[in-house]
Amino acid sequence: MKTSSSSLCIVFIFIQTINGLYEDQIGKFDWRQQYIGKVKHAIFDSTGKKIVVGTEENTLALLHAGTGKIEWRHLLGSSAKSTITSLFLLSNGKVASVSNFPTIVRVFDVSSGILQWETAVAKDIQPVLCKWSVSKRDVISIEINPSRSGYDLRLTEYSATSGTENVSPATELPWFTPGTNCQLVFPHLVCLHPQDDAVNIVDVRNSDTHQRIELQYLGITVGAGQLVTLGVTKNFVSLRTTGTFSLYKVTDEGLQRTGAEWPSETVLVSVPTVKDTEARGQYMAALIKREKNYSVRIYDLETDQVLDDVSGDMKLPDQAGEPDLLSTFLMRKPNGELSYRYAISTTDDSFHYGSKKEVYWTREEALTSIVQVEMVDLPVSSIEASIEEEFGSDQPLSGILGHTIRRLSSQFRQLLIVAQQLVAGQISLVHRDAVGSNSKALERDRFGLHKLILILTRPGKLFAMDTLSGRIVWQRLLKNVNTDKVRLYVQRTSIHYPLEPQCTILTKSSTSNQAVLFVFHPITGEPAQFGSEGYVNLSYNVQQALLLPQNEETEYMKPLLLLDESAAPHVFPPTESAINHVVKMSNNLFMFVADTKSCVLRGYSLAKSRADQLSSAAVWQLQLCSSSDSVEEEIVSIVSRHPEEKVFSQGRVLADRSVLYKYLNPNMVVVATAGTNHPHHRGYLNLYLIDVVSGAVVFSTSHRRVQSPYHVVYAENWIVYSYYNEKYRRTELSSLELFEGQTQSNSTAFSSFSAPQPLVDRQAYIYPAHITAMKDTVSEQGMTAKHILLGLTNGWIQEMPRAFLDPRRPVVAAATPEMREEGIMPYLPELPIPAEAIINYNQTISNIKSIYVTPSSLESTALVFVYGLDIFFTHVTPSRTFDVLNDDFEYGFIALVLIGLTLASFITKRLAGKKSLRQAWK
């Protein structure tokens, strides 16, 4: 009996609460979308039902031609420089890919995606030229390297079945010069120098077969200042000048020109994949520019004629870019007629598949190169809009009668709206979704969980996605802009009904190289009434931009303060109310500019600004990097607190009931600089906490023998940053927390000029994984506990409580009862990665780049958007859902209990009355 009791006690001791996810909850509050990146190589298989693609993200994938879905994909390397340079479809149902940095040859099975073999190409020196091709049995590589007598050509053959390497002896190329453009059409190498008037052709198996063909013999006349561009498409090469386009077949005798007339507007050419192996190479497809549209022409190379009955026009989506890749497939219909399918990649990174009739599907691969993300609130529903109009301040009728009329008319309109939605099936009286709104309609829900995600991408394409489903609501391609430096600002949201929301994109013009603004409506994507179709061309370049607070005078529009290269401030929109708003704030308005290369920070004050002229004055300058020539150092990160972050608690209550006040400096930024010491080639990281109003360095620290990646999170009074420790070969997390002490200097306002020197607690931890992104959670009022989201290289997203990174955690031997009473855990250097802390469970996110977090209307819930090669959206609740009932809440049981209690109260009341009556008669 004692044994069973002790065993039962042991079982209860080891019972722990586990956070889990039920199967029916998968996809309820989260969604994932998988992508492959901008397509650089595309090949149809022999059936035309599959498309093998290689992308800029170094991803090899197989797409289903009917749906565009990914059958399989492989991320061949995570290096930023590594890309797929060549892609070939072999005759044995295999696909060969060649990646650079480092050069690796891989062969996969097309149907299953299983790796057959791979080999790394070792290079003693970087070749001047390297080209790849395939033969019937081998993968071919040629390299041109400098030698004593000039340049040598080396041929290497890799067996397509086993990867066995066969290197041929080097042969001399006396005619080769640097800068020559060469294309490998095995076994021939076709070369053309930009300043030469002849094409050189050599058989790579026998360099003695060199041929030099003058351009004039090829029918090409090159005028003064014109350049001839050499291209390759399978066993054909093309020569393009300013006004001509010619296609040639490479043979042992030289270049054989095709007799077909190729328009000068030919953009791309492609040798179609066909089912009939005997017909391969007999056709050629060309994409020709026709004003706003394009046409696909199919040429029969045997007859040198255009197949007009097969060719046709093609219309890409309105928001698509210019085509830069064409792959085609020819098939024969049951009636014997030829038909084609095409796959086109465009400059906006989208990938299209279609036929002569229409575009069947489009993959928006620009979502793999996201620059910035913002979430905006949706407009109110029609019913809530009528309520807003009822209580509006600009109503013509006043008094009791006016209020009564407005109330009756508003409720009648609401009744009509509900009836229309019931008839249309948009709402249900029986079932209501989790967020309390119609998931198909773009309207705000009760808890602020339904929002619109604005996504700005590197190709200059802007997307708006629904947080509930992940569908693209609208998209827009920015025109004539340089997106190397681009920024999105939300100036007004849809909260301020009936004022229209407004967003602004700051970038540079590709023609004038000066700043340009694009102003648009975030809900519809339509350009605002500014400039020409929403584009506002500025006559200056912008070096810094700042969103100012909103007020009623500016109609709740956040003015955008721009600082040009001469440090002159400008305001957008340039309205009188916005300028007056800036002038009122000018005494407390400061801006800073950072040069990341020279590590120079400059601070400016707008105190002398007037309504007729805004001006700035330099107030401080700070040089952070070393001026020594033996050190290379630059700014790698500048992080500030969220401008709208709310701090719930001003301090931490200690065990003796005293308060340790937080150092809450709203003007402080974290600047991280990294460099390499040349004599020892060892990396280092410097971290500076800088007050950008006074220019004072609040705190600084340094780490030696560390490497990137570096990630910094700054919130309230604490900073967490990560780096890779070279000495111990591990990722480490360091935590800083700043306090004023047990006396608060000023409880009402903070001044950078009289701020006390903070007390800094610091601690470092070992993290057993590599971090690619890091972000802290935020909430509406700052009451919810802070958690840190960590994106890992294996595709996980871990939610770590900030308490694990508390720098005040004592070692076990130094832990006191007072610290345990405060809830401070003992210090352990290794941080755990529990499986239940992975918020994306089994939804792996490849190549995570960044994490965006925004609060919802629920204090307990934050919205998380993760992007990289894939995108992922979910909700996190660091302190659990303390302000909302669970989904499995027993409404029926509670209703029965309330009904029972109500009946019991009536019964007991009646019984008590009878009892008191009887007692009164006694």
Side-chain angles (χ1 to χ4, degrees):
M1 187 68 180
K2 292 183 179 180
T3 305
S4 59
S5 301
S6 60
S7 301
L8 188 61
C9 292
I10 293 174
V11 170
F12 278 107
I13 288 173
F14 285 96
I15 288 179
Q16 296 180 355
T17 58
I18 301 298
N19 297 327
L21 187 71
Y22 292 103
E23 186 176 359
D24 59 350
Q25 291 179 315
I26 296 177
K28 189 170 186 179
F29 298 110
D30 59 76
W31 46 263
R32 180 188 64 166
Q33 296 179 3
Q34 293 183 309
Y35 295 91
I36 54 178
K38 178 177 174 55
V39 177
K40 300 295 292 183
H41 311 275
I43 307 173
F44 282 91
D45 71 343
S46 58
T47 64
K49 297 180 180 180
K50 311 289 183 182
I51 309 174
V52 183
V53 295
T55 71
E56 283 186 350
E57 299 289 334
N58 204 21
T59 300
L60 180 68
L62 182 71
L63 302 180
H64 191 284
T67 61
K69 294 183 178 180
I70 301 174
E71 297 284 331
W72 55 259
R73 69 171 182 177
H74 294 292
L75 185 60
L76 303 182
S78 57
S79 173
K81 296 182 179 179
S82 183
T83 57
I84 297 177
T85 57
S86 302
L87 186 66
F88 308 101
L89 194 63
L90 306 178
S91 57
N92 57 353
K94 305 294 188 294
V95 58
S97 70
V98 181
S99 302
N100 59 357
F101 300 106
T103 302
I104 300 178
V105 185
R106 300 179 177 91
V107 172
F108 296 86
D109 182 78
V110 174
S111 58
S112 63
I114 298 175
L115 177 66
Q116 305 297 305
W117 59 265
E118 70 175 352
T119 181
V121 180
K123 297 180 180 179
D124 298 332
I125 59 173
Q126 189 66 24
V128 177
L129 182 71
C130 182
K131 292 293 180 180
W132 293 82
S133 185
V134 291
S135 63
K136 293 183 178 179
R137 297 176 299 176
D138 302 319
V139 180
I140 311 298
S141 168
I142 65 105
E143 292 183 1
I144 298 179
N145 297 300
S147 63
R148 294 182 178 179
S149 59
Y151 292 90
D152 290 344
L153 183 146
R154 185 180 298 274
L155 172 66
T156 306
E157 298 173 286
Y158 300 89
S159 172
T161 56
S162 62
T164 304
E165 181 179 345
N166 181 22
V167 182
S168 302
T171 57
E172 295 184 0
L173 295 179
W175 50 267
F176 184 84
T177 56
T180 301
N181 180 16
C182 295
Q183 300 293 346
L184 180 59
V185 185
F186 189 77
H188 302 94
L189 183 67
V190 184
C191 297
L192 173 66
H193 194 279
Q195 298 179 353
D196 198 357
D197 57 354
V199 177
N200 294 280
I201 305 176
V202 63
D203 191 325
V204 296
R205 299 168 300 184
N206 183 11
S207 60
D208 295 335
T209 58
H210 171 246
Q211 301 180 57
R212 178 180 172 84
I213 305 175
E214 302 291 335
L215 292 179
Q216 60 180 354
Y217 294 123
L218 297 176
I220 297 177
T221 303
V222 183
Q226 288 187 353
L227 295 177
V228 182
T229 305
L230 177 68
V232 62
T233 305
K234 289 191 176 180
N235 57 337
F236 292 86
V237 294
S238 60
L239 294 174
R240 183 192 299 272
T241 63
T242 304
T244 62
F245 179 85
S246 304
L247 192 69
Y248 302 86
K249 185 176 183 179
V250 183
T251 63
D252 293 335
E253 289 75 22
L255 298 181
Q256 178 183 350
R257 182 171 184 173
T258 59
E261 293 294 332
W262 299 93
S264 59
E265 297 86 359
T266 301
V267 178
L268 298 166
V269 292
S270 168
V271 177
T273 302
V274 294
K275 290 185 179 180
D276 187 3
T277 56
E278 298 180 357
R280 293 184 182 179
Q282 298 180 7
Y283 299 97
M284 180 66 70
L287 184 65
I288 301 170
K289 177 73 172 178
R290 296 299 187 193
E291 295 181 355
K292 295 183 179 180
N293 297 329
Y294 295 88
S295 64
V296 178
R297 288 189 179 182
I298 307 298
Y299 292 84
D300 189 336
L301 299 181
E302 289 187 346
T303 61
D304 290 333
Q305 293 181 351
V306 180
L307 303 180
D308 294 326
D309 55 340
V310 182
S311 305
D313 294 333
M314 179 192 67
K315 181 175 176 57
L316 292 174
D318 295 335
Q319 300 301 326
E322 300 293 329
D324 55 7
L325 173 69
L326 173 66
S327 181
T328 51
F329 177 81
L330 275 181
M331 59 183 181
R332 197 172 293 276
K333 296 181 179 179
N335 58 6
E337 297 180 355
L338 278 176
S339 179
Y340 68 88
R341 298 289 186 269
Y342 63 80
I344 292 178
S345 179
T346 53
T347 54
D348 65 320
D349 292 3
S350 57
F351 189 61
H352 313 270
Y353 171 83
S355 67
K356 182 179 179 180
K357 297 181 180 180
E358 60 179 332
V359 177
Y360 295 131
W361 50 260
T362 297
R363 292 186 60 90
E364 296 295 346
E365 298 300 332
L367 292 171
T368 62
S369 55
I370 296 176
V371 176
Q372 187 182 353
V373 173
E374 295 287 345
M375 288 192 193
V376 296
D377 292 293
L378 290 170
V380 296
S381 63
S382 302
I383 295 177
E384 292 173 340
S386 64
I387 297 175
E388 294 283 348
E389 293 173 357
E390 176 186 348
F391 294 99
S393 59
D394 54 348
Q395 296 295 338
L397 297 177
S398 59
I400 298 178
L401 180 61
H403 283 291
T404 303
I405 294 175
R406 287 200 303 270
R407 170 62 60 86
L408 294 176
S409 60
S410 174
Q411 292 183 349
F412 180 72
R413 289 196 303 269
Q414 295 173 31
L415 184 62
L416 290 179
I417 293 171
V418 172
Q420 293 173 0
Q421 292 178 346
L422 283 172
V423 172
Q426 295 180 357
I427 60 175
S428 174
L429 295 177
V430 178
H431 177 266
R432 190 171 179 86
D433 58 35
V435 296
S437 69
N438 179 18
S439 60
K440 296 182 180 179
L442 290 178
E443 60 185 34
R444 198 181 312 161
D445 64 293
R446 293 175 294 171
F447 300 142
L449 302 177
H450 191 190
K451 295 191 178 186
L452 204 63
I453 310 174
L454 299 181
I455 303 175
L456 185 59
T457 63
R458 182 66 61 190
K461 202 164 189 179
L462 185 64
F463 296 90
M465 301 184 74
D466 193 341
T467 57
L468 295 185
S469 60
R471 68 182 179 93
I472 297 177
V473 178
W474 57 262
Q475 55 183 285
R476 177 169 293 275
L477 181 63
L478 302 181
K479 300 178 181 178
N480 301 323
V481 297
N482 184 0
T483 57
D484 290 339
K485 292 183 179 180
V486 62
R487 194 70 183 170
L488 170 64
Y489 298 95
V490 180
Q491 292 190 278
R492 185 168 59 200
T493 65
S494 57
I495 293 179
H496 307 286
Y497 182 85
L499 299 174
E500 294 292 336
Q502 177 176 307
C503 290
T504 301
I505 293 176
L506 173 62
T507 182
K508 274 191 175 183
S509 172
S510 59
T511 55
S512 63
N513 203 29
Q514 291 182 335
V516 61
L517 299 174
F518 176 67
V519 190
F520 64 97
H521 192 291
I523 308 302
T524 63
E526 294 298 323
Q529 301 297 324
F530 288 95
S532 175
E533 296 183 351
Y535 292 92
V536 180
N537 295 309
L538 306 179
S539 58
Y540 50 86
N541 285 325
V542 177
Q543 62 173 338
Q544 184 62 287
L546 176 66
L547 266 183
L548 300 179
Q550 62 189 8
N551 61 10
E552 190 174 356
E553 295 179 0
T554 61
E555 294 184 332
Y556 302 101
M557 176 78 71
K558 294 181 180 179
L560 184 61
L561 184 61
L562 307 173
L563 195 68
D564 64 18
E565 291 181 334
S566 61
H570 308 268
V571 180
F572 181 83
T575 59
E576 182 179 356
S577 59
I579 295 175
N580 292 334
H581 183 50
V582 173
V583 173
K584 290 180 181 179
M585 296 178 58
S586 60
N587 291 331
N588 298 319
L589 196 55
F590 296 83
M591 298 182 71
F592 79 99
V593 178
D595 188 340
T596 58
K597 298 299 181 182
S598 62
C599 299
V600 176
L601 279 72
R602 296 181 177 87
Y604 298 91
S605 171
L606 277 70
K608 298 181 179 180
S609 296
R610 304 189 307 271
D612 57 343
Q613 182 180 3
L614 299 179
S615 62
S616 67
V619 292
W620 59 267
Q621 179 172 320
L622 196 60
Q623 173 71 46
L624 297 180
C625 296
S626 173
S627 58
S628 175
D629 296 335
S630 62
V631 175
E632 290 184 1
E633 187 176 0
E634 64 179 5
I635 296 176
V636 294
S637 180
I638 300 177
V639 180
S640 63
R641 284 175 52 187
H642 195 282
E644 297 180 358
E645 181 187 32
K646 295 181 180 179
V647 180
F648 178 71
S649 175
Q650 297 291 322
R652 298 182 64 168
V653 180
L654 305 180
D656 59 359
R657 301 300 179 263
S658 63
V659 178
L660 187 60
Y661 289 100
K662 300 177 181 178
Y663 181 80
L664 300 172
N665 187 345
N667 308 317
M668 191 176 71
V669 299
V670 181
V671 181
T673 65
T676 303
N677 194 327
H678 279 298
H680 305 287
H681 298 284
R682 292 178 177 176
Y684 61 89
L685 171 69
N686 294 329
L687 199 76
Y688 302 92
L689 309 185
I690 301 175
D691 191 309
V692 294
V693 170
S694 62
V697 178
V698 178
F699 176 79
S700 66
T701 185
S702 181
H703 299 270
R704 303 300 176 185
R705 298 187 65 178
V706 297
Q707 285 184 351
S708 61
Y710 307 111
H711 304 283
V712 182
V713 169
Y714 173 31
E716 295 188 0
N717 67 320
W718 53 266
I719 299 101
V720 174
Y721 56 100
S722 67
Y723 49 86
Y724 181 78
N725 191 316
E726 285 182 314
K727 183 178 181 180
Y728 298 105
R729 299 183 180 181
R730 66 193 184 193
T731 300
E732 293 183 357
L733 284 166
S734 290
S735 177
L736 303 176
E737 191 164 10
L738 286 71
F739 297 97
E740 289 189 19
Q742 294 189 358
T743 58
Q744 194 171 17
S745 59
N746 194 329
S747 61
T748 57
F750 186 92
S751 175
S752 295
F753 300 102
S754 60
Q757 189 67 20
L759 306 175
V760 181
D761 289 335
R762 65 176 97 177
Q763 191 61 270
Y765 299 89
I766 302 171
Y767 192 70
H770 293 284
I771 300 173
T772 60
M774 188 163 61
K775 190 68 175 177
D776 62 309
T777 59
V778 293
S779 61
E780 186 77 7
Q781 301 297 330
M783 298 170 56
T784 306
K786 285 282 188 178
H787 283 196
I788 296 178
L789 303 178
L790 303 171
L792 310 182
T793 53
N794 59 3
W796 290 357
I797 308 166
Q798 181 188 359
E799 183 181 4
M800 178 181 292
R802 195 256 160 186
F804 279 91
L805 298 170
D806 192 339
R808 298 180 66 238
R809 289 179 62 180
V811 294
V812 178
T816 62
E818 290 78 11
M819 290 184 175
R820 288 194 292 268
E821 186 178 349
E822 290 182 43
I824 301 178
M825 297 180 291
Y827 174 74
L828 293 176
E830 296 85 4
L831 294 171
I833 308 181
E836 61 270 16
I838 308 302
I839 64 174
N840 57 330
Y841 44 102
N842 63 347
Q843 304 291 312
T844 303
I845 313 301
S846 300
N847 196 15
I848 297 174
K849 297 178 182 178
S850 186
I851 302 174
Y852 176 83
V853 183
T854 190
S856 67
S857 298
L858 287 174
E859 174 61 25
S860 64
T861 307
L863 309 181
V864 179
F865 183 77
V866 184
Y867 55 92
L869 185 62
D870 304 327
I871 59 177
F872 177 75
F873 175 84
T874 188
H875 304 165
V876 293
T877 53
S879 299
R880 307 292 181 89
T881 52
F882 59 83
D883 50 359
V884 67
L885 297 177
N886 295 330
D887 295 336
D888 55 353
F889 185 77
E890 296 290 346
Y891 293 96
F893 178 74
I894 293 298
L896 290 176
V897 170
L898 291 177
I899 293 173
L901 291 175
T902 304
L903 293 176
S905 64
F906 279 108
I907 294 173
T908 55
K909 181 181 179 181
R910 185 173 182 81
L911 294 176
K914 290 182 177 181
K915 182 178 180 181
S916 60
L917 183 60
R918 286 196 301 268
Q919 290 178 350
W921 281 100
K922 287 183 179 179

